[in-house]
């Protein structure tokens, strides 16, 4: 049995490794257009900021280590065409330009995403970057260490934009964030994002909401950003307005794609074409609460779904339990985390719901360094089943949201969670923890 994997980062290498573990005699070939495989892109902002000075630490396993495992990894090889009827891919060796064909018994598509870059005037000026690949991170780090690059403009206030804003702030840059929507971090509800926006302003980051970038000016390299509301000086720009699934090369293959280009898969990661599997950011993912497919390009899903795909390629029938869209980020002195549905999503799905929004604390006031934690909880009306939760605070936010994730996947009602026997000792939590307080506020 021969498996070809297209894309060698999270989902692709998870599938390749799992298949090889389950079926050591399988032949596995990975084509990756970049120079690196199997790295944690989630670590890139912390390499840019210098918190991690060694990018090789982000690489989980090298090409050579995969070779030792019996997985043939071809970096700088791009798959440009797929012919499912012949079970064939056309590959371009990016170093030599040579084209060749390869055939498979099973195919795994794990091509991830491409950053969205609208055709703005001046976009090709130097010092306008994206942060997607390890190569992008290495280039951006080279730019941020140059002292003349002081004025940084971040375009787009999603997860990556915000992590970069923090990285640039940490480096002592003057940071300006331009976001066309009326608030930052849309997967969170407004109660949470208002606290985060105020924090950015307190820390002297300049936040421009309801403003969209129109063009860039400069002489060789970017010097100015022009938006719908004004013009601002810039030495360095990072575009982080979103991503789209890297699936253009699948047009006309018969593989079903969603409206945004994501590959439609079932819970076993099978596409609409026999013997072709897909997972990770290039594909849709089943949502546990929505009970339907959604698009959530996160490393959490890519690793788990890639592994399930590998197992199923070997002959199993594992189903993904479903994503909750659990995600967290650090924003200077704050931690933010979310899981399940936001209030907006519950509204959009017409699910009857009730919410609580509480201010609790990480631990009792008589123990040093008490800090507030704000929690918003969304429960099903009547049953009080937990549907979603979000929180923000200085400390202890993420592990609390993880408790809500487990409650959602176990269909727990808020009143049961409000009486769960959680750990209590003054350095860690109150006898009534923030999770209890938010849960018991659902009446
Ligand atoms: C800066 C940053 C921070 C992040 N932080 C987090 C986080 O904190 N938590 C979280 O859950 N997620 C985070 N993510 C998202 C996470 O990194 C992705 O969800 C994950 O990497 C997706 O894995 P993937 O294998 O599906 O795709 P990718 O990692 O995008 O890998 C796909 C690979 O396929 C290759 N490829 C594409 N087309 C072809 C082709 N035709 N031929 C050959 N190769 C091809 C690409 O070069 C790429 O290397 C972050 C992402 C970034 C960029």
């Amino acid at each position: 049995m021969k498996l070809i994997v297209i894309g060698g980062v999270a989902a692709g290498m998870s599938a390749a490794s799992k298949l090889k573990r389950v079926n050591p005699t399988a032949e596995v070939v990975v084509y990756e257009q970049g120079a690196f495989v199997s790295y944690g892109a989630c670590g890139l902002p912390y390499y840019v900021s210098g918190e991690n000075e060694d990018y090789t630490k982000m690489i989980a396993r090298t090409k050579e280590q995969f070779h030792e495992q019996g997985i043939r990894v071809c970096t700088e090889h791009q798959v440009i065409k797929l012919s499912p009827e012949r079970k064939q891919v056309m590959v371009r060796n990016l170093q030599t330009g040579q084209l060749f064909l390869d055939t498979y018994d099973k195919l795994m598509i794990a091509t991830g995403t491409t950053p969205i870059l609208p055709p703005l005037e001046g976009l090709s000026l130097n010092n306008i970057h994206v942060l997607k690949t390890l190569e992008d991170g290495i280039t951006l780090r080279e730019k941020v260490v140059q002292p003349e690059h002081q004025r940084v403009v971040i375009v787009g206030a999603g997860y990556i934009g915000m992590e970069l804003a923090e990285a640039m702030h940490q480096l002592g840059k003057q940071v300006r964030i331009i976001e066309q929507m009326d608030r930052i971090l849309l997967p969170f509800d407004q109660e949470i994002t208002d606290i985060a926006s105020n924090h950015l302003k307190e820390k002297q980051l300049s936040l421009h909401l309801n403003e969209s970038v129109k063009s860039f000016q400069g002489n060789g390299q970017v010097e100015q950003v022009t938006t719908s509301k004004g013009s601002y000086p810039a030495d360095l720009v990072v575009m982080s307005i979103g991503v789209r699934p890297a699936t253009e090369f699948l047009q006309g293959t018969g593989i079903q794609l969603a409206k945004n280009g994501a590959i439609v898969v079932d819970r076993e990661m099978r596409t609409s074409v026999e013997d072709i599997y897909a997972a990770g950011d290039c594909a849709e993912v089943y949502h546990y609460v929505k009970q339907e497919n959604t698009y959530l390009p996160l490393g959490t899903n890519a690793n788990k779904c890639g592994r399930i795909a590998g197992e199923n390629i070997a002959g199993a029938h594992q189903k993904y339990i479903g994503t909750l869209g659990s995600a967290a980020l650090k924003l200077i002195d704050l931690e933010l985390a979310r899981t399940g549905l936001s209030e907006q999503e519950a509204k959009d799905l017409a699910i009857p719901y009730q919410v609580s929004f509480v201010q609790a604390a990480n631990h009792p006031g008589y123990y040093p360094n008490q800090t507030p934690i704000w929690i918003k909880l969304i429960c099903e009306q009547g049953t009080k089943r937990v549907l979603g939760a979000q929180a923000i605070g200085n400390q202890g936010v993420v592990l609390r949201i993880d408790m809500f994730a487990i409650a959602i996947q176990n269909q727990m009602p808020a009143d049961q969670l409000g009486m769960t026997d959680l750990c209590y000792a003054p350095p860690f939590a109150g006898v009534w923890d923030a999770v209890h307080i938010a849960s018991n506020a659902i009446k």
Side-chain angles (χ1 to χ4, degrees):
M1 201 269 274
K2 178 174 172 184
L3 168 71
I4 290 184
V5 179
I6 317 176
V9 183
M13 295 323 293
S14 299
S17 302
K18 186 68 191 177
L19 171 67
K20 201 67 192 170
R21 278 199 299 274
V22 179
N23 179 359
T25 61
E27 182 184 353
V28 183
V29 182
V30 180
Y31 291 114
E32 164 55 54
Q33 67 187 11
F36 300 97
V37 289
S38 187
Y39 61 85
C42 313
L44 291 172
Y46 311 100
Y47 176 69
V48 172
S49 69
E51 276 152 296
N52 163 27
E53 291 179 352
D54 177 1
Y55 69 78
T56 64
K57 285 186 182 163
M58 286 184 277
I59 299 171
R61 249 181 296 171
T62 61
K63 191 169 148 171
E64 291 70 30
Q65 287 169 312
F66 283 110
H67 285 179
E68 278 165 26
Q69 227 186 304
I71 297 172
R72 187 153 68 86
V73 177
C74 308
T75 50
E76 296 177 90
H77 280 69
Q78 183 181 37
V79 172
I80 56 168
K81 204 173 161 207
L82 164 64
S83 310
E85 65 290 351
R86 283 186 233 122
K87 291 197 157 185
Q88 208 168 56
V89 291
M90 185 183 281
V91 188
R92 178 181 284 135
N93 178 332
L94 297 176
Q95 279 184 322
T96 62
Q98 184 209 355
L99 286 177
F100 62 91
L101 297 171
D102 198 0
T103 50
Y104 60 83
D105 298 309
K106 308 264 182 191
L107 180 71
M108 169 75 189
I109 307 171
T111 48
T113 56
T114 318
I116 295 174
L117 287 173
L120 298 171
E121 190 192 319
L123 189 67
S124 59
L125 285 166
N126 283 335
N127 294 352
I128 302 181
H129 292 262
V130 293
L131 185 63
K132 166 72 184 74
T133 62
L134 185 47
E135 289 92 327
D136 295 335
I138 293 169
T139 313
L140 190 54
R141 175 69 191 163
E142 281 165 11
K143 291 288 171 71
V144 297
V145 293
Q146 294 172 25
E148 65 272 25
H149 297 149
Q150 270 313 306
R151 297 163 301 184
V152 179
V153 174
I154 312 271
V155 185
Y159 289 124
I160 294 174
M162 288 296 94
E163 288 184 345
L164 274 169
E166 180 194 61
M168 298 299 174
H169 172 78
Q170 189 112 340
L171 289 161
K173 310 283 181 195
Q174 286 171 40
V175 185
R176 194 182 297 278
I177 303 154
I178 316 243
E179 167 57 57
Q180 67 175 6
M181 303 302 281
D182 59 357
R183 57 192 188 84
I184 63 170
L185 292 169
L186 290 183
F188 290 84
D189 287 325
Q190 182 145 11
E191 294 90 333
I192 304 289
T193 57
D194 281 352
I195 296 168
S197 296
N198 286 338
H199 186 61
L200 291 175
K201 288 175 202 157
E202 274 163 30
K203 295 287 174 182
Q204 315 295 325
L205 283 80
S206 181
L207 179 60
H208 300 244
L209 299 173
N210 295 307
E211 197 166 333
S212 51
V213 170
K214 298 291 177 201
S215 60
F216 304 98
Q217 292 76 40
N219 189 7
Q221 66 182 48
V222 69
E223 288 164 17
Q224 183 175 276
V225 178
T226 299
T227 71
S228 50
K229 293 190 180 165
S231 289
Y232 311 101
D235 306 312
L236 196 62
V237 172
V238 190
M239 297 290 293
S240 53
I241 63 170
V243 291
R244 67 165 62 92
T247 55
E248 291 84 353
F249 74 110
L250 299 176
Q251 296 292 343
T253 57
I255 295 177
Q256 192 190 347
L257 302 178
K259 240 191 231 151
N260 71 341
I263 302 167
V264 177
V265 287
D266 64 12
R267 288 174 65 190
E268 295 186 15
M269 311 306 145
R270 291 180 302 201
T271 69
S272 59
V273 173
E274 212 183 334
D275 293 330
I276 302 184
Y277 293 72
D281 289 6
C282 64
E284 290 192 326
V285 61
Y286 181 76
H287 195 289
Y288 180 82
V289 185
K290 296 181 183 176
Q291 297 188 357
E292 61 184 19
N293 272 5
T294 188
Y295 184 63
L296 276 171
L298 288 167
T300 47
N301 298 324
N303 283 283
K304 294 184 195 93
C305 295
R307 180 185 162 124
I308 289 173
E311 211 162 341
N312 292 342
I313 289 166
H317 285 282
Q318 293 291 337
K319 286 187 171 56
Y320 186 34
I321 184 169
T323 182
L324 296 174
S326 302
L329 79 150
K330 189 165 101 52
L331 196 55
I332 311 179
D333 295 337
L334 290 179
E335 297 176 5
L336 286 87
R338 54 114 40 234
T339 186
L341 300 186
S342 63
E343 183 175 1
Q344 189 57 50
E345 284 174 306
K347 251 184 217 158
D348 294 345
L349 292 164
I351 297 175
Y353 66 89
Q354 56 187 128
V355 301
S356 68
F357 181 61
V358 301
Q359 180 182 338
N362 59 337
H363 58 235
Y366 55 78
Y367 188 84
N369 302 323
Q370 188 195 46
T371 56
I373 297 180
W374 289 268
I375 299 185
K376 178 169 177 177
L377 184 59
I378 298 114
C379 295
E380 189 175 52
Q381 183 84 47
T383 66
K384 298 187 186 177
R385 183 169 68 101
V386 180
L387 299 174
Q390 313 174 16
I392 187 166
N394 302 94
Q395 207 189 35
V397 166
V398 176
L399 293 180
R400 281 166 172 109
I401 289 300
D402 282 343
M403 292 190 225
F404 287 108
I406 290 171
I408 297 171
Q409 271 191 344
N410 286 286
Q411 317 254 344
M412 266 177 101
D415 39 11
Q416 217 179 80
L417 189 55
M419 285 293 163
T420 299
D421 187 17
L422 302 176
C423 295
Y424 158 57
F428 310 110
V431 68
W432 292 103
D433 182 65
V435 169
H436 292 132
I437 294 169
S439 302
N440 291 329
I442 296 281
K443 299 292 175 205

